[in-house]
Amino acid sequence: MGLFLSILNSLTSYFTSQKYVTLDNKNDEISNKKFHTACRSCHQNKLISYQSKIDNLKPDEIVYRTFVPDDKVCWSVKWSDYKPKNYTAIKLLRDKPVWADVENPLDIKNWNQIDNQTDRRSHMGVYEVVDGIPINPSGRTGIAGRGQLGKWGPNHAADPVVTRWKRDTNGEKIFDPKTNKPILQFVSIRRLDTNEWAIPGGMCDPGEKISQTLKREFMEEATDCLGQNSEAREKIENHLSQLFENGVELFRGYVDDPRNTDNAWMETIAYNFHDEDDTVFKNFALTAGDDAGSVTWMDIDGKLKLYASHKNFVQKAAELHSAHW
């Protein structure tokens, strides 16, 4: 570990290098401001901590993100004093889980392409690799290294936004009195790591198709299929199969996630699966499972507070169905 940290420290100069180039029409100054909120210390007197949930760090071990003002987010802007702390979760370095990358990014050669079963391509286009280290295409985050993410570079996830109409006891749609639009509900889980409400999504397994990830993550987190026997799991899967055959893509790209760093970041594909007539979920009980603390049907409204960029995906679903927001 010491050797690896010394390698990273020796590469500190890359942060001020003129090699950094933003992606065409993707990472202008305005878009970077919008992206980096959850993963950037936006105020000099209020630094955001990167306290890895998997390390259970003590107060004096907490890593703080370097303050990055709005006009310094873009890599194309020179910043000779930018020296963020390098941090990769201790548990990742110690346990070396099979789903995680090697400790040293210099050992990875196939950036921006399929690398065995790992997809190192970005939805944002071709990202820069400087001195063998991938660079966040949306700009500076105030912390280097891999953080608690498994992959250097893009980490791919899938988020299923499962919706239905809110109905009264007679089965009629309920309308919001102010907007006079029908109220949409979505399946929301409470994350155990942050205690925030979120879409029941998750990371794509190596070699897995996106359609498989969307269905698997929903089943694991909102139906507790892992806690069932094989017969019960098959019954749940068959019940949901028709719903997951007809999805509409809501979003594909980089997400403002609190786990992002200068060298590792989250990207996702969000799909909406809508139960228009409540035929799938009318007599189907949701059960929290996997890493979900609880699960519920949540009314969609502009006042929602959700994990990371999930509110944006839910809003897109509301707009898609001309529902209340």
Side-chain angles (χ1 to χ4, degrees), residues 27-214:
N27 292 323
D28 55 34
E29 185 174 329
I30 295 177
S31 66
N32 276 312
K33 287 181 183 179
K34 182 179 69 173
F35 278 142
H36 289 317
T37 302
C39 62
R40 175 169 65 101
S41 291
C42 304
H43 305 285
Q44 190 168 9
N45 297 324
K46 190 177 180 180
L47 299 182
I48 295 178
S49 64
Y50 191 116
Q51 183 174 7
S52 174
K53 300 297 180 180
I54 62 176
D55 274 347
N56 295 317
L57 299 178
K58 298 177 181 178
D60 60 346
E61 296 175 328
I62 296 176
V63 178
Y64 287 89
R65 293 181 182 272
T66 297
F67 166 58
V68 179
D70 292 345
D71 62 353
K72 295 291 196 307
V73 174
C74 293
W75 292 112
S76 57
V77 177
K78 293 182 180 180
W79 191 5
S80 59
D81 293 331
Y82 184 60
K83 296 178 177 60
K85 185 175 180 59
N86 291 311
Y87 174 71
T88 297
I90 298 171
K91 186 176 177 63
L92 289 179
L93 299 176
R94 182 187 65 226
D95 297 351
K96 295 180 172 48
V98 295
W99 45 264
D101 271 344
V102 294
E103 182 177 329
N104 192 339
L106 302 181
D107 292 334
I108 300 173
K109 306 301 179 184
N110 299 321
W111 301 111
N112 286 297
Q113 59 185 293
I114 300 293
D115 183 16
N116 292 320
Q117 287 192 312
T118 299
D119 189 353
R120 301 194 186 281
R121 298 171 299 179
S122 169
H123 297 310
M124 299 288 286
V126 177
Y127 52 87
E128 292 291 312
V129 178
V130 178
D131 294 328
I133 301 178
I135 304 304
N136 189 319
S138 288
R140 299 179 175 98
T141 67
I143 192 167
R146 190 155 41 110
Q148 68 179 70
L149 292 175
K151 306 295 183 184
W152 292 97
N155 287 256
H156 294 288
D159 292 301
V161 183
V162 176
T163 57
R164 71 177 184 183
W165 295 111
K166 185 176 185 179
R167 300 177 185 274
D168 59 22
T169 55
N170 295 320
E172 299 297 323
K173 293 180 183 177
I174 297 177
F175 288 73
D176 180 82
K178 292 185 178 180
T179 62
N180 199 32
K181 290 184 177 182
I183 299 174
L184 201 63
Q185 296 182 314
F186 78 105
V187 176
S188 181
I189 58 125
R190 187 183 289 278
R191 294 175 62 103
L192 291 176
D193 57 352
T194 65
N195 205 36
E196 295 174 279
W197 288 100
I199 296 167
M203 308 302 295
C204 298
D205 286 346
E208 186 177 49
K209 294 182 179 179
I210 189 65
S211 58
Q212 295 174 313
T213 305
L214 290 161

